[in-house]
Amino acid sequence: MTSIFQRYADDEAQDLHVQMPQRFLPTTISHYPIEVLLAHWEKYLVEQSIAQERYPWAARFVMGMPVPKWARGVEWNLGQRARFITAVWSGADLGSYLTNDWCEPAAAGRAWAENSEILIDGQQRLHSLEEYFLDRLAVPDAQRQPRVWSELGNGERKRFLSTIFTQARVSSGDEAALRKTYDLCAQGIVPRSFEQRAVR
């Protein structure tokens, strides 16, 4: 291994010997405001029974999206959820959430095949939004007073809902590939210890 950076190797034959991991599934990226997520969730709240019929295999729903049984549960604590909502207010980069666009009718009835339209990654962040919109989560305002969603005026609500939260999408009925993609999303995500934080 050389200590001097080279953009490309001098020897083209090296390309034949080493191959790095390949993408499991092609991904499409869209930049939507949180308001788009909210509209999807509001529709779900009105039609919960329809969602239950369509996705009977779902472990749960988060912001109206079915979550597969093989995904981890809702695990963020109150502090983690509040920090995410504060990050939205502060204009921080929210990362992205990942869904599967693929949908296929099941063999019988009104149900869709398993893994149709699932939320693959972003469950903790989307659940935090859900809890905030339901007034189950308070975050500090500019004067450090805890506030829930229903206490906010429309100007502040519009500002929050206009925040961009990127959606990444794949489209596959291959559960093995979806599971591998799910596992890759979690690699390297380790909470920082107090000593590792930039602000203490």
Side-chain angles (χ1 to χ4, degrees), residues 134-149:
L134 291 172
D135 283 354
R136 296 177 184 158
L137 181 63
V139 297
D141 66 10
Q143 287 73 45
R144 308 298 301 157
Q145 295 297 313
R147 300 290 182 185
V148 294
W149 180 255

Side-chain angles (χ1 to χ4, degrees), residues 10 18 20 24 37 62 68 71 78-79 81 108 114 138 152 165 190 194:
D10 293 332
V18 177
M20 300 304 291
F24 292 117
L37 268 172
V62 175
L78 191 61
R81 294 195 297 267
E114 202 160 336
L152 306 179
F165 194 178
V190 178
F194 181 76

Side-chain angles (χ1 to χ4, degrees), residues 50-83:
I50 294 172
Q52 294 288 340
E53 287 178 22
R54 188 168 290 163
Y55 313 104
W57 40 262
R60 67 196 143 278
F61 292 84
V62 175
M63 289 299 288
M65 296 179 211
V67 178
K69 291 184 174 81
W70 40 265
R72 73 176 177 158
V74 175
E75 301 194 3
W76 274 9
N77 62 35
L78 191 61
Q80 290 169 309
R81 294 195 297 267
R83 282 193 295 277

Side-chain angles (χ1 to χ4, degrees), residues 171-182:
S171 184
S172 177
D174 182 348
E175 185 171 307
L178 292 169
R179 285 176 179 250
K180 285 179 184 176
T181 301
Y182 168 81

Side-chain angles (χ1 to χ4, degrees), residues 24-43:
F24 292 117
L25 297 169
T27 305
T28 303
I29 304 292
S30 299
H31 304 286
Y32 295 126
I34 291 174
E35 191 157 17
V36 170
L37 268 172
L38 185 63
H40 179 83
W41 183 54
E42 287 172 325
K43 183 178 179 188

Side-chain angles (χ1 to χ4, degrees), residues 5 73 138 143 167:
F5 172 75
Q143 287 73 45
Q167 180 186 20

Side-chain angles (χ1 to χ4, degrees), residues 124-190:
Q124 310 305 320
R125 287 167 289 161
L126 269 61
H127 179 257
S128 300
L129 287 170
E130 194 174 278
E131 291 289 284
Y132 187 49
F133 292 141
L134 291 172
D135 283 354
R136 296 177 184 158
L137 181 63
V139 297
D141 66 10
Q143 287 73 45
R144 308 298 301 157
Q145 295 297 313
R147 300 290 182 185
V148 294
W149 180 255
S150 64
E151 294 179 282
L152 306 179
N154 284 335
E156 287 296 84
R157 292 186 193 201
K158 285 177 184 176
R159 182 166 71 89
F160 186 89
L161 295 175
S162 68
T163 303
I164 298 299
F165 194 178
T166 301
Q167 180 186 20
R169 297 186 313 274
V170 296
S171 184
S172 177
D174 182 348
E175 185 171 307
L178 292 169
R179 285 176 179 250
K180 285 179 184 176
T181 301
Y182 168 81
D183 287 343
L184 279 175
C185 291
Q187 287 189 359
I189 308 301
V190 178

